[in-house]
Structure formats: C-alpha cells, structure tokens
Amino acid sequence: MNRPNRLLRLAILLPAWVLLVTIAPVPPLPPFAPAADTFVTATPVALDEDDPRRRRLGQLVFIRGWELDSPDLRFGGISSMQLEGDVVTAISDSGTLLRFPLPRREGRQRLRVERLPLAGTSKQMHDTEALLIADGQAWLAFERQNAIMRFRRGDWRRESSARPRPMRRWPWQTGPEAMVRLADGRFLIFAEGRSEDAFSPVVLFDGDPAEPATGWQVLRYRRAPGYRPTEAALLPDGRVLVLNRRFDWFQGISASLVIVDLTRLEAGRTLAGETIAELAPPLTVDNMEALTVTRERGRTIVRIASDDNFMNLQRTLLLEFALEAPARD
C-alpha cells in the first residue's frame, strides 16, 4: 500500500477506533456454529512498506510478516496466542479457538475453528483476553468477569475456575489482559488498567490462579505514557516481555515491547522495564494484542498478532522477529 492510500486508511480508521474504545456499543459476536475445518490465507507484509528491506526495530530484527484472512466469520479478534510445535493456537475475544500452521509461505492453509464450551452467548461471558498452555492444561483470563479458568487441553473441558479476590474490583473493561507462568509454577496476571492511570494492577499468584484457595500478592506495572499492557510472555532467561498498546489522535495506533526483570518479586513492588522496540505508523501495525516467545535454533523468536475487532477497516497481522538483545540463558 502506498503512502497516500495508507494515510487515507488511517484517517478512516482512527474515528472508528475511538468509537470502539469509548462510547460505541460492543459489536455483536460472530456467529456461533459447530466446529469447522476451513482455511486461512496468508499474504506477506513488510515491516516498512516504504522501505521493504528494513529489518531493524530497536533490539528486534524483522523476519517476516503476514496479513491473515479467512472466509469464516469467526476468524479474527485474536487477543492471545501460543505456539505449539509449528501450530498457532489462538483465542479470540469472542471465546473462539483458532488453530492453524505457522505461515511459512503465501497462500491458503488449513484452519480449525471451534467454540469454547462456555454457557451463554453474551460478550461478557466470552471476552477472553489471555491464553496460557502448559503441561496438558490451558488457562484463560476473562476480562469482563475478572475470572481465570483452567481447561483440559485435550478436549477443552473446564476443570476449575476462580474470581480471585484482588481482581474482583478491576474495572469491567480493563481487567486481566496478560498472563505469565513462571518457571517455579507461580503466575503473574496483568490488568490492562484505566487509561488515565500511570500503573496497571498486577497479581502474583503462589500457584494456579484458577484454584480459589491459591495465595496471592498485589504488585503494579509502571507503564510508558499512553501505553497499556495487552499481553506478556516469559523469556528464556526468566525475564518477562510485555506487549503494550497505545492510541493517539496524531500518531494513531502503536505498540511497544518492554522487558521486565523479575528479581525481588514481593508484595507492593512496582514492575518496570526497558522498552526494546516500538512499532508505530508508518510501519506496519494494528491493534497488537497477542504475543508468543519461543527458542529456535539458538535464537529467541518473538511473534505478535493483532486483534481486528471483527472490523473490515482493521487487519489480522502476524509479525515475526528475532530478539538480538544480549541473552542471559
């Protein structure tokens, strides 16, 4: 897309984005239908459309990028994802599970679409914002319920759920957005937080947050001005990578990646980190919400994806980077 077309698209998108995140009613959920095997189409995108050879972004090196699309109306709204082998498992903010091979070339790929076994059809019951898969289980964070549920990975049968006490008063539309399981089995859960605040609430759980009896401590995350966390992932060296999102009338939608050191985790501590990369127009960016980190051939690979809010003006992007900052493996 050339610059005039991109600026036109941005001019149209900005008012729509403001309405979506402020006063507009929640868009209807995509249709509920039986599980289906269909396809997703991957189209290559550059990091910088004006300079397709550009690779460097702060401490990241761009590997490849994709715009994803599918004829299935349930595809989109990706709020969290995890790579299992060579397959992306993603959850949409309408409670739909999406599984597809990690794109390696342009064209169609198989896509599995299925609904989480949840009661009701309201947005409140299905607004899933964080996904974590480990040891044959999957944990999901539900923003509008301020709840954590654990599912059996094989058939997605719900095993346990909780509305942890320190999360119950989080504002209904700025609740749990990011979830990390530490190497010792503890969990960190980040709230998105209110836009006017300088910090986002964080809860450190002694173990499984989906078990009501699990102990906890309250912390907070210091945000860069205008940014709010949308996802987090554990790095191989034990630090945490946090994906953040910002909307600005003049700069549009942007994202930043921040590395947080977790030494001295204790009640009341403020988590703060180093910004290693910022993705802002005119670079390729949208409503970046999903993040997954893997170790591949000696490199730390960072993948981020966007939530298109099921709006035609937005895109589902999947961008892949290598982290070149000094590792402490």
Side-chain angles (χ1 to χ4, degrees), residues 289-310:
E289 286 209 14
L291 166 72
T292 186
V293 173
T294 57
R295 192 73 174 165
E296 301 174 23
R297 298 180 181 179
R299 297 191 301 172
T300 298
I301 305 300
V302 175
R303 295 180 174 93
I304 58 176
S306 62
D307 173 359
D308 68 352
N309 292 302
F310 301 104

Side-chain angles (χ1 to χ4, degrees), residues 73-139:
L73 295 179
R74 294 169 295 175
F75 181 81
I78 292 176
S79 56
S80 189
M81 67 180 178
Q82 193 161 326
L83 196 61
E84 298 181 275
D86 203 36
V87 175
V88 176
T89 296
I91 188 74
S92 79
D93 56 14
S94 63
T96 301
L97 289 161
L98 308 167
R99 282 177 56 81
F100 54 92
L102 185 68
R104 298 296 187 187
R105 61 182 182 273
E106 183 175 6
R108 291 185 178 184
Q109 301 184 108
R110 67 183 182 276
L111 167 68
R112 177 70 175 175
V113 184
E114 57 186 307
R115 177 187 172 190
L116 273 176
L118 299 171
T121 60
S122 70
K123 175 74 171 178
Q124 180 174 353
M125 296 300 295
H126 293 262
D127 193 356
T128 40
E129 294 293 339
L131 164 71
L132 193 152
I133 299 172
D135 301 330
Q137 296 173 310
W139 286 263

